[in-house]
Amino acid sequence: MTIPAVEVTNLSKAYRGRPALRELNLALPQGRIVGLMGDNGSGKTTLLKILAGVLSDWEGTVRIAGHAPGAASKALVSFLPDASFLPDTHRPADSMALFERFFADFDAGKAREMIDFFALPWDRSLKEMSKGMREKLQISLAMSRRARVYLLDEPISGVDPASRDVIMRGILQNFDDESLLLVSTHLIQDVEQIVDAVVFLKDGSVLLSGTADDLRDEHGMGLDSLFRKVYAS
């Protein structure tokens, strides 16, 4: 039996007594692009941080390809947080050198290809780049690790529609189909065509999950319409 890329059992997390995740259960296989969807405060970022191994003090069981959160699991996970994490003074080559030092699975050649695909300027610092450019650089770095699990937290939030399309194409072109890509977003329309499955979170629990095709067939509508329906009720 194949071990799930991500397996979560009865996962709970609270901040100052306020629940962020409530006995959440989830099992995601490798070879899929999964949309993690939900309204603000649904627990998406908290879940990704726990899977990435950067958040502690939770209850339940978490496994990344069979490993509990720790050094072994972190080596398998490439995490793109929703905030900028690179110094403003960095040019693309500086950021690549940083990733090469920290991650043994970083593929510099792949990163160069993605940076060129996004037409990013090699001679410009992040301070001189637009928000969309910064996002593209960070995605280039995150997707250039040879990871088993990619966790992207709102990778297209705050950028214009044209940039969203380019970003999604860049991610698709560089996705290893033996890995799991879990992408958090509230921009359902922009990711609907690339996701194989979706997980809807609400109040820290799984509200709805399944393959994209099954959910569309069952409910007779697209994922964006389904999202609006379930979160309006």
Side-chain angles (χ1 to χ4, degrees):
M1 186 175 178
T2 304
I3 298 174
V6 163
E7 189 170 24
V8 171
T9 307
N10 296 328
L11 178 62
S12 297
K13 168 69 180 177
Y15 295 99
R16 297 179 180 178
R18 180 173 295 178
L21 298 175
R22 306 168 187 260
E23 296 188 354
L24 188 145
N25 294 285
L26 192 61
L28 302 174
Q30 63 185 34
R32 278 191 180 179
I33 299 176
V34 180
L36 182 64
M37 304 169 181
D39 50 7
N40 291 334
S42 61
K44 301 188 302 294
T45 294
T46 297
L47 175 60
L48 292 183
K49 285 182 176 180
I50 290 174
L51 296 177
V54 299
L55 198 59
S56 58
D57 298 325
W58 42 266
E59 297 178 354
T61 302
V62 175
R63 293 291 182 269
I64 305 294
H67 298 278
S73 72
K74 286 182 180 181
L76 302 175
V77 172
S78 181
F79 176 47
L80 177 72
D82 62 348
S84 179
F85 57 87
L86 296 170
D88 285 345
T89 55
H90 268 205
R91 291 180 171 85
D94 300 320
S95 297
M96 284 177 56
L98 181 69
F99 263 60
E100 281 188 298
R101 285 199 303 271
F102 278 95
F103 304 109
D105 63 355
F106 181 69
D107 186 334
K110 188 175 180 181
R112 289 189 193 94
E113 289 178 4
M114 286 197 73
I115 290 169
D116 287 338
F117 171 81
F118 288 137
L120 298 177
W122 288 93
D123 60 348
R124 196 180 300 180
S125 70
L126 274 92
K127 187 175 183 179
E128 300 170 298
M129 292 186 186
S130 67
K131 182 174 182 180
M133 288 180 176
R134 293 180 71 120
E135 195 67 52
K136 289 171 184 174
L137 177 57
Q138 296 188 157
I139 288 170
S140 297
L141 298 171
M143 293 303 297
S144 293
R145 289 185 55 197
R146 294 184 292 273
R148 294 279 296 278
V149 176
Y150 297 89
L151 307 172
L152 309 184
D153 194 1
E154 298 285 357
I156 54 175
S157 177
V159 299
D160 61 84
S163 292
R164 292 175 202 161
D165 181 60
V166 173
I167 286 172
M168 296 315 297
R169 283 194 284 120
I171 290 171
L172 266 183
Q173 288 180 13
N174 290 275
F175 173 63
D176 181 348
D177 59 12
E178 293 186 0
S179 300
L180 168 69
L181 172 61
L182 184 57
V183 53
S184 161
T185 185
H186 63 277
L187 299 169
I188 316 303
Q189 263 188 325
D190 294 285
V191 303
E192 178 157 0
Q193 297 307 311
I194 74 158
V195 296
D196 303 305
V198 294
V199 176
F200 287 177
L201 293 187
K202 186 173 181 64
D203 297 327
S205 299
V206 175
L207 177 66
L208 196 64
S209 66
T211 68
D213 287 341
D214 285 350
L215 289 174
R216 280 190 283 257
D217 290 344
E218 180 183 348
H219 296 273
M221 62 184 72
L223 298 180
D224 186 58
S225 298
L226 180 58
F227 179 87
R228 295 171 190 273
K229 178 183 178 181
V230 300
Y231 287 98
S233 59

